[in-house]
Amino acid sequence: MLLVYAWCNYNYRPIRAKNLTWTTLIYCATVLWFIGNLVTNNHVRLVGVWSNCKLWILWFRVLFVYVFATMTIVRFYALDRVFNQKKPFTRRSSLISGAIILSFNVAYCLVNQLISSSLTLEYVPDLEACKITMAFRIAAVSVQWLLWGACGVLIFRLRNIQSSFNEFRESVAIFLVIIGLLTETSVTNLYYQYYIFEKKRRIQKTYVDVVASVLVIWLFIGYPVYKSIFDRRNYEQMWLERLAKDGPGNTYNINSNPQGTTAYAKMDENLDSGFNNSHLNYEGNGINSAYVNNHRPFGDPDPFNIESEMSAHVPFNDNLLPMALRNNMHNPLLNSPSLFAASYMDSSSDGRHVL
């Protein structure tokens, strides 16, 4: 329901800035992970198609646990690349990341598929259960710890992002939830190998997995969704004003893509202001119309288009913008007397105003 509501309110800018497409894919991974849990934890009779242990445990449970972790890593890596490395994260970057995720996870599962079932996992007809070897358990749990350890490193690198895109607190909460889940998973799999024959313990295992994975989704997008319901206009205005105060073009030196091939922005390696002369039209309304067209709000469907989100939003309060970019003035020419008259003119002895 949370994701359905978020998609129905996709034009609400604080929600849209949360990479909703990627978050939805992460949720899909949790659903497939749950299907694998039905067999792994013996919630269904393992007869017929359900008796294919490698299909359900390896290609559903294990695979999508890894997909869940790696997709979360990429989501955090996108922020790290933009704000810390000052590099773009374009559609090409997201496709490459997706390909790496798919290759890594499929390769791991394929290797285990080719290994003898007696060394990994196999079906035991007399028990109507899947026997999972200790070596397979240790390998599967160890990979999860490695993946989330890498995620922890990325979260630590995100601590200094001071903008409307700061997710450090949510990220720490997600990391703590996952560490708790991994601890429970490690104890259950390594010290209670036959937990599937205890109804209470296998229900507990599945419940913990579901609650932890869904809680991660809530931590990703729950706050802006809550605000959109109970404080919609005020929160959006505050969010936009903070975006203006952050000054992505000043604080993070965001510039446009010099190649002009996408609407995606990048960090200016020369630390120039993101609002350079090519983007300004002092004789018009402040921002060059070609620049606006190329950086239209939400025009790029790329779920990782973080910087274009930042450059595309126009704040409600023009006073937060640099003077030359405000549209509440009368469009003076740059360096014309009228541009500075309001601030610097004094009264003469005869009552006239002079500069």
Side-chain angles (χ1 to χ4, degrees):
M1 293 299 295
L2 179 73
L3 280 171
V4 171
Y5 179 88
W7 278 109
C8 289
N9 291 270
Y10 188 58
N11 289 330
Y12 187 64
R13 283 166 282 198
I15 290 178
R16 187 156 189 169
K18 288 293 184 179
N19 298 332
L20 199 55
T21 301
W22 203 252
T23 304
T24 302
L25 292 175
I26 293 175
Y27 177 75
C28 291
T30 68
V31 173
L32 297 172
W33 170 6
F34 171 74
I35 294 174
N37 260 344
L38 294 178
V39 173
T40 305
N41 298 334
N42 260 39
H43 292 297
V44 295
R45 285 192 63 194
L46 303 191
V47 294
V49 68
W50 295 107
S51 64
N52 191 336
C53 295
K54 283 196 171 181
L55 172 63
W56 299 110
I57 297 178
L58 182 60
W59 292 97
F60 274 80
R61 209 285 182 181
V62 173
L63 175 62
F64 287 103
V65 166
Y66 292 169
V67 168
F68 178 85
T70 49
M71 290 180 75
T72 305
I73 289 173
V74 172
R75 193 180 186 281
F76 290 142
Y77 175 71
L79 291 171
D80 177 71
R81 184 174 174 85
V82 169
F83 290 100
N84 292 329
Q85 300 180 39
K86 295 181 173 60
K87 296 179 181 179
F89 198 92
T90 61
R91 182 179 290 107
R92 179 184 178 186
S93 301
S94 62
L95 291 175
I96 292 174
S97 300
I100 292 174
I101 287 174
L102 184 63
S103 300
F104 170 80
N105 293 303
V106 170
Y108 178 89
C109 292
L110 188 59
V111 168
N112 282 277
Q113 178 72 40
L114 297 176
I115 294 175
S116 172
S117 297
S118 61
L119 299 176
T120 53
L121 47 92
E122 61 183 345
Y123 180 66
V124 181
D126 294 340
L127 299 176
E128 290 187 2
C130 293
K131 177 186 175 182
I132 305 175
T133 65
M134 181 56 71
F136 183 84
R137 293 171 189 263
I138 293 174
V141 171
S142 297
V143 172
Q144 290 185 63
W145 279 103
L146 288 173
L147 290 174
W148 286 105
C151 190
V153 172
L154 286 173
I155 290 173
F156 180 75
R157 287 177 55 83
L158 299 179
R159 70 192 184 282
N160 292 326
I161 294 177
Q162 301 297 325
S163 79
S164 298
F165 291 85
N166 188 340
E167 295 185 353
F168 181 66
R169 287 180 296 180
E170 296 92 328
S171 302
V172 170
I174 288 170
F175 187 68
L176 293 176
V177 168
I178 294 300
I179 290 301
L181 174 62
L182 282 179
T183 301
E184 187 273 342
T185 298
S186 301
V187 171
T188 300
N189 279 279
L190 301 182
Y191 293 98
Y192 298 97
Q193 298 182 48
Y194 304 106
Y195 74 90
I196 59 173
F197 299 111
E198 300 178 35
K199 182 178 180 180
K200 181 179 178 180
R201 195 172 293 278
R202 69 172 183 256
I203 291 176
Q204 172 191 319
K205 181 71 187 83
T206 303
Y207 180 80
V208 170
D209 285 353
V210 171
V211 169
S213 58
V214 172
L215 187 57
V216 168
I217 304 300
W218 274 85
L219 289 169
F220 274 138
I221 62 174
Y223 187 71
V225 167
Y226 172 83
K227 284 294 187 179
S228 74
I229 298 173
F230 297 104
D231 194 20
R232 188 178 186 90
R233 291 187 178 179
N234 290 336
Y235 178 70
E236 184 175 37
Q237 179 169 348
M238 180 186 71
W239 189 87
L240 290 169
E241 288 177 352
R242 184 182 178 189
L243 201 64
K245 287 180 181 179
D246 292 339
N250 300 321
T251 305
Y252 299 107
N253 302 301
I254 294 176
N255 203 343
S256 64
N257 188 336
Q259 303 302 323
T261 56
T262 67
Y264 205 78
K266 65 173 285 187
M267 294 294 182
D268 187 350
E269 296 177 357
N270 296 322
L271 302 181
D272 295 330
S273 170
F275 294 107
N276 57 40
N277 294 334
S278 63
H279 297 159
L280 303 181
N281 177 7
Y282 296 108
E283 298 182 1
N285 292 326
I287 302 179
N288 189 292
S289 60
Y291 177 76
V292 173
N293 291 334
N294 290 333
H295 295 76
R296 58 192 181 279
F298 317 123
D300 193 337
D302 185 3
F304 283 119
N305 200 338
I306 298 171
E307 296 118 314
S308 65
E309 291 278 352
M310 296 169 69
S311 62
H313 298 315
V314 179
F316 295 157
N317 186 357
D318 283 346
N319 292 327
L320 298 175
L321 292 173
M323 182 177 291
L325 297 180
R326 298 176 190 173
N327 56 22
N328 59 357
M329 303 178 72
H330 52 280
N331 301 328
L333 294 174
L334 181 64
N335 294 329
S336 66
S338 58
L339 179 62
F340 305 101
S343 300
Y344 294 98
M345 63 186 180
D346 297 312
S347 299
S348 64
S349 56
D350 60 0
R352 292 179 298 169
H353 291 283
V354 296
L355 286 175

